[in-house]
Amino acid sequence: MQTSFQGGLFISGADPAMLTAAAAIDDGCGLVLNSTESRVDVHQLAGELASHRLLLPLTVTAPRQMRAQAEELSLCGDNVYVQVPAMTAGQPNTALIHDLLAEGVPLAVTGLATRQAVKPVLDQATASATPLLLMMGAATAYYDLIVSTALAHLFPTVQLVVAARDQLALLRAQRLAVDGVAITVDQLWDVAQPVTGAACQLQY
């Protein structure tokens, strides 16, 4: 069986050059910058990858600074989504998420691991036409993933993206029909490889 994902691939990496190389391999993939180093020229990177969705992380943690930086990053291009954590220092960022969506800033909300964490974020998206990506962690329980997928599909502007650490996680995401899978640059080879498994016999 071939491991091919029908949704979108979101390839993550800390090196902009690696993301650019990944973009050349897959014309339709999304790209996730993991680096928070100030030396990375995110404006230039967004321009070079204008035909790809590019997720850029916030590098500050104070609420007012997060809002200002998110607004600034969104000006890098129409392809840019700002990565906002669901919580900062133990406090939920629901008000920040609501305000940024109301302003039309496309967001990728990270740090989601349960259906209980997904629900408040979706509540902020009900009256907004702004694109929103929900980034679920690789360790998310299967039931939480099922419920979160069903909830996300109720909103036309919301897409659920799941981190996949291996081929098994990729196949699980495929079965649930999530909108995207986040992998690392190193996993690109694994995605194209066939999955081999052992046959089992049911005994009565």
Side-chain angles (χ1 to χ4, degrees), residues 4-36:
S4 60
F5 186 70
Q6 300 303 317
L9 283 178
F10 287 79
I11 303 166
S12 63
D15 183 0
M18 292 297 290
L19 293 184
T20 304
I25 296 172
D26 187 342
D27 291 337
C29 69
L31 301 161
V32 185
L33 179 66
N34 288 339
S35 175
T36 56

Side-chain angles (χ1 to χ4, degrees), residues 19-96:
L19 293 184
T20 304
I25 296 172
D26 187 342
D27 291 337
C29 69
L31 301 161
V32 185
L33 179 66
N34 288 339
S35 175
T36 56
E37 294 183 20
S38 58
R39 65 178 181 81
V40 176
D41 189 340
V42 292
H43 292 271
Q44 180 182 348
L45 183 63
E48 292 174 357
L49 302 172
S51 60
H52 296 262
R53 283 188 286 183
L54 177 62
L55 281 55
L56 297 176
L58 294 175
T59 60
V60 293
T61 56
R64 295 177 78 177
Q65 292 178 331
M66 290 172 71
R67 179 170 179 171
Q69 189 179 51
E71 292 169 346
E72 180 183 345
L73 288 175
S74 70
L75 299 177
C76 290
D78 294 336
N79 60 322
V80 169
Y81 286 68
V82 180
Q83 289 187 71
V84 175
M87 299 186 75
T88 303
Q91 297 299 315
N93 288 323
T94 49
L96 174 65

Side-chain angles (χ1 to χ4, degrees), residues 33-201:
L33 179 66
N34 288 339
S35 175
T36 56
E37 294 183 20
S38 58
R39 65 178 181 81
V40 176
D41 189 340
V42 292
H43 292 271
Q44 180 182 348
L45 183 63
E48 292 174 357
L49 302 172
S51 60
H52 296 262
R53 283 188 286 183
L54 177 62
L55 281 55
L56 297 176
L58 294 175
T59 60
V60 293
T61 56
R64 295 177 78 177
Q65 292 178 331
M66 290 172 71
R67 179 170 179 171
Q69 189 179 51
E71 292 169 346
E72 180 183 345
L73 288 175
S74 70
L75 299 177
C76 290
D78 294 336
N79 60 322
V80 169
Y81 286 68
V82 180
Q83 289 187 71
V84 175
M87 299 186 75
T88 303
Q91 297 299 315
N93 288 323
T94 49
L96 174 65
I97 293 167
H98 175 270
D99 292 345
L100 290 173
L101 288 174
E103 293 176 17
V105 177
L107 299 180
V109 178
T110 62
L112 300 170
T114 66
R115 62 193 183 281
Q116 292 91 344
V118 166
K119 176 91 170 54
V121 178
L122 286 175
D123 289 342
Q124 307 307 312
T126 53
S128 174
T130 305
L132 171 64
L133 298 176
L134 302 180
M135 311 292 288
M136 298 290 289
T140 302
Y142 193 57
Y143 180 69
D144 284 316
L145 193 53
I146 292 172
V147 175
S148 298
T149 302
L151 290 173
H153 285 172
L154 296 175
F155 301 87
T157 58
V158 176
Q159 291 189 317
L160 186 76
V161 179
V162 181
R165 292 177 297 192
D166 50 36
Q167 289 179 327
L168 179 61
L170 189 69
L171 292 171
R172 182 176 72 168
Q174 170 94 8
R175 185 175 181 181
L176 288 175
V178 300
D179 299 297
V181 171
I183 63 172
T184 63
V185 174
D186 296 336
Q187 288 177 277
L188 276 174
W189 173 254
D190 295 333
V191 172
Q193 297 307 300
V195 177
T196 56
C200 62
Q201 184 177 7

